[in-house]
Amino acid sequence: AQTVTQSQPEMSVQEAETVTLSCTYDTSENNYYLFWYKQPPSRQMILVIRQEAYKQQNATENRFSVNFQKAAKSFSLKISDSQLGDTAMYFCAFMKSGGGSNYKLTFGKGTLLTVNP
Amino acid sequence: EPEVTQTPSHQVTQMGQEVILRCVPISNHLYFYWYRQILGQKVEFLVSFYNNEISEKSEIFDDQFSVERPDGSNFTLKIRSTKLEDSAMYFCASREQGYTFGSGTRLTVV
């Protein structure tokens, strides 16, 4: 079974600064995806970024980028130029892919990020 | 952009009552899921559904739970006899290349 660990229950950052959220995972699978989801107070689950395990290049989406270290099983999220609207709970998630997979998501416990003005 | 629609957004029910949570997945998606998030906790997988049958279910998904796709568009989660600990946010999702989550149903059991 896969596990996803987010060791930072809460973090805060000043507006316009950069913050990094940590995530580690444990799996024996070779084929998988990793995700960061954002959950604002509305509790909607919003995909921030995704990474295919077979790709060495780190994924980037505008101000959001990841540092994917496959050997270390680490998948951190960097938010640059933080904005007040980035205030939310952030969940790291793992999804096994390939044959025999139901593509279910396994989530970490989340990190509550607060962006201060 | 296509959406997954969940109704109702909030449901309050008495303990022991049956509830049905409804979802309309994206029309060309083939894989459907229910996830649960107890307040302040992580999101947990309940069940996956493909080709009109359950493809995987978690330990949480006991005999009190059932899912159905009654008419080719709706995807429902039924809890037969609700317990206080069923109070949670329930998310429906559908998937083709990637996941799309609905906005959730907040279930409160009193």
Side-chain angles (χ1 to χ4, degrees):
Chain A
Q2 286 68 234
T3 59
V4 178
T5 303
Q6 292 179 250
S7 58
Q8 305 151 315
E10 294 186 35
M11 292 192 72
S12 62
V13 64
Q14 292 299 122
E15 197 174 5
E17 293 188 348
T18 296
V19 64
T20 299
L21 308 184
S22 301
C23 173
T24 59
Y25 60 95
D26 190 24
T27 185
S28 57
E29 303 292 336
N30 284 319
N31 300 315
Y32 54 89
Y33 291 83
L34 295 162
F35 303 86
W36 280 97
Y37 280 90
K38 171 184 176 181
Q39 188 180 46
S42 66
R43 301 194 76 181
Q44 175 89 33
M45 294 293 287
I46 302 166
L47 177 65
V48 175
I49 199 166
R50 84 175 202 172
Q51 174 81 42
E52 291 95 330
Y54 66 87
K55 288 189 177 178
Q56 290 190 338
Q57 187 173 6
N58 289 323
T60 299
E61 286 287 340
N62 301 314
R63 297 183 294 108
F64 299 88
S65 61
V66 298
N67 183 4
F68 174 46
Q69 301 289 327
K70 190 173 183 180
K73 295 190 172 74
S74 170
F75 183 61
S76 61
L77 175 69
K78 185 171 83 171
I79 306 174
S80 304
D81 186 24
S82 297
Q83 300 175 359
L84 296 178
D86 295 333
T87 293
M89 183 72 90
Y90 286 82
F91 291 99
C92 179
F94 172 99
M95 182 176 80
K96 174 186 166 185
S97 61
S101 170
N102 285 308
Y103 297 86
K104 71 179 182 188
L105 292 166
T106 300
F107 288 87
K109 290 187 176 180
T111 296
L112 179 62
L113 176 67
T114 302
V115 180
N116 298 310
Chain B
E1 188 171 329
E3 291 183 343
V4 174
T5 304
Q6 287 189 245
T7 54
S9 57
H10 190 188
Q11 171 113 31
V12 181
T13 188
Q14 290 207 326
M15 192 169 56
Q17 295 295 305
E18 173 183 288
V19 294
I20 297 176
L21 310 183
R22 302 181 192 280
C23 171
V24 179
I26 294 174
S27 60
N28 62 341
H29 285 188
L30 301 178
Y31 302 87
F32 312 116
Y33 304 83
W34 283 100
Y35 288 82
R36 180 181 84 174
Q37 184 184 29
I38 294 172
L39 186 63
Q41 298 187 24
K42 67 178 177 179
V43 181
E44 299 173 293
F45 167 78
L46 286 179
V47 65
S48 58
F49 192 86
Y50 170 72
N51 200 24
N52 286 321
E53 61 183 21
I54 290 173
S55 50
E56 186 175 350
K57 58 185 180 180
S58 72
E59 294 174 352
I60 304 167
F61 195 88
D62 61 22
D63 292 343
Q64 293 297 313
F65 291 88
S66 62
V67 290
E68 207 175 37
R69 189 159 160 80
D71 56 12
S73 62
N74 290 286
F75 178 51
T76 61
L77 175 69
K78 182 193 292 186
I79 310 175
R80 271 182 258 286
S81 177
T82 49
K83 303 187 278 275
L84 294 177
E85 54 265 36
D86 293 328
S87 293
M89 195 78 165
Y90 288 81
F91 291 100
C92 173
S94 68
R95 184 184 68 80
E96 201 52 42
Q97 292 298 320
Y99 266 78
T100 302
F101 281 89
S103 53
T105 293
R106 179 174 296 181
L107 176 66
T108 303
V109 183
V110 296

